Amino acid sequence: MKRFEEPVLVTRPYLPDLDAFKAGCEEIWGNRWLTNNGPVLRRFQGALAGYMGVPESNLSLFVNGTLALELGFYAAGLSGADVVTTPFTFVATSHALRRVGANPVFADVDPETLCLSPEAAERAMTPRTKAIVPVHVYGHPCDVDGFARLGEKYGVKIIYDAAHAFGTGLHAFGDMSMFSFHPTKLFHSCEGGLLTFRDTAFEGRLAELRNFAIKGELSCVDVGTNAKMNELQALMGLECLKAMDSILASRAEIHAVYREAFAGRSDVVFPDPAAFPAPRGFSPNYAYCPVLFRDFETRERICTALRERCNVFARRYFYPLLTDFAPYSYGRGTCPVAEDAARRVLTLPTYFGLSVDDARAIAGDILEML
Ligand code: T4K
């Protein structure tokens, strides 16, 4: 008999009240307007602006986070440039750079937060560097002051991959930030992505690029694409946004259970984002619950035992490291801290609806396996 009869996955999407969602669908049916800057999307945009404290003129919605990043990089003029970034992330960060013809240059991460280190980023800069792309990985805060200094000193753009950072207050740092609304994130719109930006000139430019760069019926001004969020996505986002407080509270509770269980152990590191240096207004969203074991063998043994004995599907985010993948293997061996973390990390189940008793049982099983 396994610990759990049903598989416990690393995450499950929050699902809003079905009747409220159906009522929203009725409105959409009535409108007969399904995409292309519809009324529900505009309402979602307004609600996000209110929630994030960012003016509507400084944000833009997309069909997913990857295309949001891609168009943000394109609009920022990064094609052909070197861009310093972290290998300790999901492949989408570097894919989006490469797809606009930029060249990702990898620099190492801070050993505590696992976010790109400004010192390492500075050392990796070349005369062709036009931007730095740090990632608030797991919702951990990057050293935003350190990056702001680099931005000023070298005149390069700072564009945050904030895919994991919705709800942290890290909503408007650097030149741009991208938030993913994929269902594996704490907040979602089925699929979706959001860019916030400092320069309001990006609003029109991004609106153009995500709609084929056509202007009216008779002109096309650039090589755009189709990256528009549709009305059903916007409705899902609007309904999920209503539950943000409960979503954040439940994740904080689960994080606290794991934190307590692993406290005082010398063989396990369980990062506490609340203890990291962070800008004013930061508040942890506990987007992920990463735990770092002593070595690769222990991590692999525990990951397998959790699946086989407990029916628990923890995930090794982010292993393999980007620089282990063929398109980025030129960076292999250049980021020892990230390489070491990727081999030791396991992200534990956390989501709205996971009970604290289940989290306690998972932590207990891990401690026993150790
Ligand atoms: N930058 C960063 C730093 C990112 O982490 C990501 C995405 C991006 C950029 C790009 O943003 P998007 O273009 O995705 O908006 C997942 C996600 O697909 C991806 O969005 C995410 N990062 C990445 C970290 O994780 P997989 O391959 O691990 O997903 P999958 O299908 O294995 O799902 C994970 C778990 O969630 C499974 O146990 C099943 C469960 N699940 C999943 C879905 C989709 C559900 O229970 N229900 C669902 O609907 O990549």
Side-chain angles (χ1 to χ4, degrees), residues 88-90 112-115 135-142 161-166 168 170 185-186 251 255 271 273 276 282-292 299 315-319 321 338 341-348 350:
F88 195 79
T89 179
F90 189 57
E112 307 286 328
T113 63
L114 302 177
C115 298
V135 179
H136 298 299
V137 70
Y138 306 133
H140 295 175
C142 289
D161 179 337
H164 305 167
F166 189 70
T168 56
L170 296 166
K185 304 290 178 280
L186 79 169
R251 301 183 84 99
H255 196 273
F276 292 144
F282 171 77
S283 122
N285 64 359
Y286 304 108
Y288 290 79
C289 286
V291 54
L292 290 109
R299 194 274 305 272
R315 290 286 291 268
R316 291 164 292 184
Y317 294 129
F318 289 98
Y319 171 84
L321 201 64
R343 289 170 60 80
R344 295 191 293 118
V345 73
L346 190 65
T347 50
L348 304 180
T350 184

Side-chain angles (χ1 to χ4, degrees), residues 9-13 64-66 89-90 92-93 135 161 163-164 178 180 182-185 192 288 315 317-318:
L9 305 179
V10 68
T11 186
R12 312 273 14 228
N64 62 50
T66 305
T89 179
F90 189 57
T93 317
V135 179
D161 179 337
H164 305 167
M178 186 287 287
S180 164
H182 185 268
T184 55
K185 304 290 178 280
Y288 290 79
R315 290 286 291 268
Y317 294 129
F318 289 98

Side-chain angles (χ1 to χ4, degrees), residues 65-236:
T66 305
L67 279 169
L69 268 184
E70 210 175 298
L71 293 184
F73 293 154
Y74 185 74
L78 302 190
S79 304
D82 281 357
V83 177
V84 178
T85 188
T86 166
F88 195 79
T89 179
F90 189 57
V91 280
T93 317
S94 275
H95 277 0
L97 284 168
R98 283 285 285 272
R99 291 184 65 80
V100 302
N103 171 38
V105 176
F106 296 104
D108 215 343
V109 298
D110 175 90
E112 307 286 328
T113 63
L114 302 177
C115 298
L116 183 66
S117 138
E119 293 74 30
E122 186 169 16
R123 284 195 297 275
M125 289 178 76
T126 72
R128 289 179 308 282
T129 302
K130 271 198 184 172
I132 301 175
V133 175
V135 179
H136 298 299
V137 70
Y138 306 133
H140 295 175
C142 289
D143 178 354
V144 291
D145 294 335
F147 287 116
R149 278 194 293 275
L150 288 184
E152 255 175 49
K153 184 169 167 189
Y154 296 99
V156 297
K157 293 214 156 43
I158 307 297
I159 301 181
Y160 287 99
D161 179 337
H164 305 167
F166 189 70
T168 56
L170 296 166
H171 290 156
F173 285 91
D175 293 278
M176 280 187 196
S177 297
M178 186 287 287
F179 302 84
S180 164
F181 296 162
H182 185 268
T184 55
K185 304 290 178 280
L186 79 169
F187 167 79
H188 73 95
S189 55
C190 286
E191 289 258 10
L194 174 79
L195 277 178
T196 62
F197 34 84
R198 187 159 47 197
D199 181 353
T200 50
F202 281 121
E203 192 196 13
R205 177 77 175 128
L206 289 165
E208 190 173 279
L209 288 171
R210 72 167 171 233
N211 189 33
F212 314 100
I214 50 174
K215 276 194 165 166
E217 289 181 34
L218 299 180
S219 97
C220 173
V221 294
D222 201 343
V223 186
T225 188
N226 180 358
K228 289 164 278 136
M229 175 176 277
N230 69 49
E231 292 288 274
L232 285 162
Q233 289 177 286
L235 174 61
M236 180 60 96

